[in-house]
Amino acid sequence: MALGDLMESRFSHSQSQSSMVAVVANHLDRYTISNLNNSHHSSLNQSVVVVSDGVVDGNSDRDSSSDSVAGVQRKENHSNRDMDDSETVDSSASYYGVGNVNGNVAVNGIPATSMAYLPQNVVLCEIRHDAFEACTPSGPAESGLVSKWRPKDRMKTGHAVLIVCLNISVDPPDVIKISPCARLECWIDPFSMAPQKALDTIVKALNFQYERWQPKAVYKHLLDPTVEEVKKLCTTCRKYAKSERVLYHYNGHGVPKPTANGEIWFFNRSYTQYIPLPISDLDSWLKTPSIYVFDCSAAGMIVNAFIELQDWNPSSSAGATPRDCILLAACEAHETLPQSHEFPADVFTSCLTTPIKIALRWFCTRSLLHESLDFSLIDRIPGRQTDRKTLLGELNWIFTAITDTIAWNVLPHDLFQRLFRQDLLVASLFRNFLLAERIMRSANCSPVSYPMLPPTHQHHMWDAWDMAAEICLSQLPTLLEDPNAEFQSSPFFTEQLTAFEVWLDHGSELKKPPEQLPIVLQ
């Protein structure tokens, strides 16, 4: 019987007083009957059939008139259905010894065991979750079958390799910097301290920023390394990661641009030469599954070389399992990273790892609030990202809803599931990648990904983010001045739920699904 299905099938009343009334039992009845049969089997000749509507019926041997019940009849008129349950139970219990709370009734001279009605939740637990999954077919959404609610292909990014090639105070030969120029790396000015100390501080900050998205991963880093050091660390991480995904983050702001063959640059031991590393070698060390982040000018060169490598790789041939490799690159092959002091030098990394901070900084200069807000106030936003009752938590929650909704409405179903529902860190990076595309395109720079995503920087949901950010930021001066001031939640989610209700009233199968669905589920 299905969950919550409470049915009764009633047989017609016989003309004879000795005929019985049989009712189809529900889950509770079967449980009660089982207990009764086990405890009174030796003392009762008749078997209990049902406990329903407060009446307990027995089915005795029809050839034995002594066991028939002549004293209990069920009236045909409907007035008897209004009878008080307590009275019905008492009248039936006087013969059968069932339902009497005090347990003082005896059957055929044998004392009856007292028994209370079992709560319904005992029965509900028997068919919850596991039974639902067992009976639910699985299949793609377009096949018409309902997919199981628990995804079976979840993955985890367990190890991360952070490579920082800055070579502070020495500019690469192919870079001509403007003045003033973008300088911040992980929101730290590398020229505000000694080069080696700045390098250590920056990589620790990068480590901390990634830990917000995947705190349980093992992070290893290299500072201005040689090719041999990179090889050793990559092979070691793959060895210990086993089947888990490995993150490879490359900051190449202190080395030349990648070559047309997709080679990235490192140093020799004496820092007198730049040594190239083909992407094919890096791929052979990290293997699969893996995700690469390339924050350098002309990063699209690396993506193009990797795609060619995948096309020539035997593992990508027909019948073979495709390699699970994901790439995020800061710009296209012919582009240079933004140098305006409006942005940090690692604007792409900042979008991926600290999206709220850079999104508000970028929005602040374009908002009507730019006269009352400055960067110092934005850096002091109170609260925690995990606490929705605070300003920072509310902004983070709205940003997650916005980017999730954009991806759900734009991407194909299979690609959305792979990038936004399979791996926690990958989902976070791709949500933030949508922000990177919006911000960096304003500086004539287009981030690239593999698999490639359609353009999302002009999606109308970004207008909803701007409005929500402006409403929240308008409270920032008051919250900072008065510690006792209470943060007023944004009306964003209420407005999106209202839009969803409108779709429920006026939508149809012929129209596209409601774009607010990810927000409603969140």
Side-chain angles (χ1 to χ4, degrees), residues 81-329:
R81 295 185 180 180
D82 298 331
M83 183 178 180
D84 186 16
D85 290 341
S86 61
E87 297 176 2
T88 311
V89 171
D90 291 339
S91 63
S92 61
S94 62
Y95 182 81
Y96 291 98
V98 179
N100 192 319
V101 178
N102 297 326
N104 297 326
V105 182
V107 179
N108 293 337
I110 301 175
T113 303
S114 63
M115 175 180 174
Y117 288 105
L118 297 176
Q120 285 289 344
N121 59 352
V122 175
V123 180
L124 295 178
C125 291
E126 295 177 358
I127 61 175
R128 238 181 173 178
H129 299 314
D130 292 337
F132 174 77
E133 282 198 49
C135 67
T136 305
S138 62
E142 60 269 14
S143 67
L145 299 177
V146 179
S147 299
K148 292 185 178 181
W149 66 280
R150 283 180 180 173
K152 301 301 181 183
D153 56 348
R154 295 299 294 266
M155 189 171 292
K156 173 185 172 184
T157 301
H159 286 71
V161 178
L162 309 180
I163 308 293
V164 178
C165 296
L166 292 180
N167 198 16
I168 298 173
S169 73
V170 179
D171 292 335
D174 58 349
V175 174
I176 300 176
K177 294 186 177 181
I178 63 174
S179 181
C181 184
R183 299 172 61 175
L184 299 181
E185 301 278 355
C186 294
W187 304 106
I188 297 170
D189 186 354
F191 298 96
S192 63
M193 58 190 82
Q196 188 58 44
K197 182 179 180 181
L199 201 59
D200 292 336
T201 306
I202 290 170
V203 77
K204 289 179 181 178
L206 179 62
N207 195 131
F208 177 74
Q209 290 171 186
Y210 268 113
E211 284 181 342
R212 293 179 181 174
W213 307 107
Q214 182 55 282
K216 296 183 179 180
V218 178
Y219 294 91
K220 301 293 183 180
H221 59 263
L222 291 175
L223 308 177
D224 292 343
T226 63
V227 173
E228 291 77 14
E229 292 172 336
V230 174
K231 178 180 179 179
K232 181 179 179 180
L233 182 58
C234 290
T235 53
T236 302
C237 282
R238 171 47 63 193
K239 175 183 177 181
Y240 288 103
K242 298 180 181 179
S243 60
E244 294 180 343
R245 194 186 305 275
V246 175
L247 164 71
Y248 178 88
H249 181 102
Y250 174 77
N251 180 328
H253 298 166
V255 293
K257 299 177 183 177
T259 66
N261 296 327
E263 298 169 319
I264 55 178
W265 297 95
F266 295 98
F267 303 93
N268 62 356
R269 293 190 178 275
S270 58
Y271 295 97
T272 58
Q273 289 182 334
Y274 300 106
I275 307 299
L277 172 65
I279 187 65
S280 57
D281 291 351
L282 188 61
D283 178 65
S284 66
W285 300 336
L286 287 176
K287 299 179 181 178
T288 183
S290 55
I291 178 171
Y292 300 84
V293 176
F294 295 104
D295 189 349
C296 58
S297 296
M301 290 282 194
I302 309 172
V303 178
N304 295 338
F306 187 86
I307 294 175
E308 293 180 5
L309 177 66
Q310 294 293 93
D311 293 339
W312 286 98
N313 197 321
S315 65
S316 61
S317 59
T321 303
R323 295 171 61 82
D324 186 1
C325 296
I326 299 171
L327 280 77
L328 298 175

Side-chain angles (χ1 to χ4, degrees), residues 417-445:
Q417 289 291 330
R418 178 190 174 194
L419 300 182
F420 288 83
R421 291 296 181 266
Q422 187 184 77
D423 187 310
L424 204 60
L425 180 60
V426 171
S428 300
L429 290 179
F430 267 93
R431 279 197 297 265
N432 302 341
F433 178 82
L434 302 184
L435 173 69
E437 185 188 12
R438 187 193 191 203
I439 291 179
M440 297 184 68
R441 277 183 179 268
S442 67
N444 300 318
C445 201

Side-chain angles (χ1 to χ4, degrees), residues 342-510:
E342 175 188 2
F343 302 102
D346 62 343
V347 56
F348 185 62
T349 298
S350 299
C351 290
L352 295 183
T353 58
T354 56
I356 303 301
K357 184 173 184 176
I358 192 169
L360 295 180
R361 279 173 164 250
W362 181 81
F363 172 73
C364 181
T365 59
R366 293 159 176 79
S367 169
L368 297 176
L369 301 175
H370 69 276
E371 295 182 356
S372 59
L373 291 176
D374 56 26
F375 292 165
S376 62
L377 291 179
I378 293 177
D379 294 340
R380 296 164 53 200
I381 292 179
R384 296 177 299 168
Q385 290 191 355
T386 56
D387 187 358
R388 279 194 63 189
K389 295 181 180 180
T390 64
L391 176 56
L392 184 59
E394 181 82 350
L395 286 169
N396 183 66
W397 199 264
I398 295 174
F399 177 82
T400 302
I402 291 287
T403 50
D404 232 29
T405 301
I406 294 175
W408 186 76
N409 283 280
V410 171
L411 300 184
H413 176 267
D414 293 339
L415 186 59
F416 176 80
Q417 289 291 330
R418 178 190 174 194
L419 300 182
F420 288 83
R421 291 296 181 266
Q422 187 184 77
D423 187 310
L424 204 60
L425 180 60
V426 171
S428 300
L429 290 179
F430 267 93
R431 279 197 297 265
N432 302 341
F433 178 82
L434 302 184
L435 173 69
E437 185 188 12
R438 187 193 191 203
I439 291 179
M440 297 184 68
R441 277 183 179 268
S442 67
N444 300 318
C445 201
S446 302
V448 183
S449 68
Y450 175 83
M452 185 176 63
L453 304 185
T456 59
H457 62 287
Q458 292 182 332
H459 197 279
H460 66 88
M461 286 300 293
W462 286 119
D463 296 332
W465 161 253
D466 291 342
M467 179 176 293
E470 196 164 52
I471 293 175
C472 291
L473 287 178
S474 63
Q475 305 180 51
L476 181 57
T478 304
L479 294 174
L480 293 177
E481 293 174 2
D482 184 6
N484 297 323
E486 185 176 353
F487 168 67
Q488 301 297 324
S489 299
S490 168
F492 170 78
F493 288 100
T494 303
E495 293 169 353
Q496 297 301 318
L497 287 174
T498 302
F500 181 68
E501 291 177 356
V502 172
W503 184 91
L504 291 178
D505 293 336
H506 303 284
S508 67
E509 295 180 355
L510 302 178

